[in-house]
Amino acid sequence: MKKIMTKYAFIWPLLGSIFLWIAISIVSGKFSVGQIFSSAKLCSFALLLALGQMVVVTSGEGAIDLSQQYILTLAAYISCDLMQYNVILGIIAAVAVGAFCGLVNGIVNIYLKVPAMVTTLATGYIIFTIVLVLAPTMKTLPNAGFVDFINLHAGGFSMLTMICMIVAVLLALLLYKTKYGKQLHAVGQKRIAAKYAGIKVNKVVISAFVIGGALCGLSGTLCGAFNGGAFQDMGTTYFLPSIAAAFVGGTAASGGKSNVAGVCLGALMMYLLTTFLNAANLSVGMQRLIQGAVLVLILVASVSDDAKKN
């Protein structure tokens, strides 16, 4: 049983999601499958951040992106502003800006030898400063047609959920069926060994940050449209759940191991946890405290598991 649970890490967030759904149903007095569909829709933004975080963390050596929430916010502003002229332009520009921010993070981390945590914390504040400077001059309302598009539903699934499913499938193909994916996991397990094996470690790590940034950009685009516009602290709501989702889904804190399906279920589980805490009438501060405690427990479990394997 232990081997099965270790191999198929997505089982943990799956069981957690089922448990929380039952708990929500008991508290609300109503069992509804619609709650699952609704949660899957509302966790979309945190899920995209979590997938991006997963890619960065998988590159190893303690890599993590603390600038995600700020990249999301900047992308939301850019997409809302440019969509006034062209929807496609707004989407592409937001994703491109996110990828560029990831590129800067990767270059600083690799070539200036600044730890990823310090790098992304610093660039995050720079990005947020840019938001503060540009926000007064930018249009913050989303394109009405794009809003209608992402709010479409088919068979219970929202367009947001379907977009996330497509992104997850494409990312899974990249990570598990391509040369780059194999190189990324090898680099995450031991960078020096990967270098001696002929892998271009710097390129792989920087690419991981770029992919993570691009997913933040996409999340910001969708988030801005869904929430009716961009605002300065919009990324804060999704950041903590996204990190928890990345690790509860089976991403190894030490790098070298990822699980797309697990992260998807982890994001669903974290949103169900938020829904349960809301149903229990807990304050926002208490909810953040509990979410933080859950994240700490997940990280402790992840690090302990890595230590046993090493």
Side-chain angles (χ1 to χ4, degrees):
M1 179 63 69
K2 183 178 180 181
K3 290 181 179 179
I4 293 175
M5 299 294 276
T6 301
K7 183 177 180 181
Y8 302 103
F10 67 87
I11 292 178
W12 291 112
L14 175 61
L15 293 176
S17 296
I18 294 173
F19 173 79
L20 287 168
W21 174 60
I22 294 174
I24 292 169
S25 300
I26 293 174
V27 171
S28 64
K30 180 181 179 181
F31 281 85
S32 173
V33 178
Q35 178 64 57
I36 300 295
F37 287 114
S38 177
S39 297
K41 174 182 178 179
L42 295 175
C43 78
S44 299
F45 318 116
L47 170 56
L48 292 173
L49 293 185
L51 290 173
Q53 196 71 261
M54 176 193 71
V55 176
V56 172
V57 173
T58 301
S59 66
E61 292 199 1
I64 192 169
D65 189 352
L66 300 181
S67 65
Q68 281 192 326
Q69 57 185 319
Y70 306 112
I71 297 176
L72 181 152
T73 303
L74 177 60
Y77 272 97
I78 290 174
S79 64
C80 287
D81 187 66
L82 294 182
M83 279 187 186
Q84 305 299 320
Y85 309 100
N86 186 283
V87 174
I88 302 300
L89 174 63
I91 297 173
I92 293 176
V95 174
V97 167
F100 178 76
C101 292
L103 176 64
V104 173
N105 285 336
I107 290 175
V108 173
N109 173 231
I110 292 297
Y111 292 110
L112 298 184
K113 307 298 182 183
V114 180
M117 182 177 292
V118 178
T119 295
T120 55
L121 184 62
T123 57
Y125 282 112
I126 293 174
I127 294 168
F128 188 61
T129 302
I130 294 174
V131 170
L132 294 177
V133 172
L134 295 180
T137 64
M138 302 181 78
K139 298 176 181 177
T140 59
L141 296 179
N143 178 276
F146 187 65
V147 172
D148 291 338
F149 171 74
I150 66 170
N151 283 305
L152 291 175
H153 288 76
F157 290 95
S158 71
M159 182 57 66
L160 281 173
T161 302
M162 289 187 279
I163 291 173
C164 288
M165 290 172 64
I166 292 172
V167 171
V169 170
L170 292 176
L171 187 60
L173 291 175
L174 175 67
L175 293 180
Y176 311 129
K177 298 296 182 180
T178 67
K179 180 180 178 181
Y180 172 77
K182 295 177 181 179
Q183 291 179 341
L184 177 63
H185 288 90
V187 167
Q189 291 170 14
K190 199 73 173 180
R191 289 189 182 181
I192 188 65
K195 182 178 180 180
Y196 287 143
I199 297 175
K200 297 180 179 179
V201 174
N202 292 351
K203 182 179 179 181
V204 170
V205 175
I206 292 175
S207 297
F209 277 98
V210 171
I211 293 171
L215 289 173
C216 290
L218 177 59
S219 181
T221 302
L222 299 175
C223 187
F226 182 78
N227 286 308
F231 50 94
Q232 293 177 3
D233 61 344
M234 65 188 306
T236 305
T237 304
Y238 311 105
F239 183 60
L240 187 60
S242 70
I243 294 181
F247 289 109
V248 76
T251 305
S254 60
K257 180 184 177 183
S258 65
N259 191 315
V260 173
V263 171
C264 291
L265 289 169
L268 177 63
M269 173 183 157
M270 292 308 299
Y271 190 80
L272 286 170
L273 174 61
T274 300
T275 303
F276 173 72
L277 295 177
N278 284 329
N281 292 319
L282 295 179
S283 66
V284 175
M286 183 59 68
Q287 291 183 34
R288 295 281 175 84
L289 179 63
I290 294 175
Q291 288 176 339
V294 170
L295 176 57
V296 170
L297 291 174
I298 291 170
L299 287 172
V300 169
S302 177
V303 172
S304 299
D305 186 52
D306 292 340
K308 289 179 181 179
K309 292 179 180 178
N310 293 330

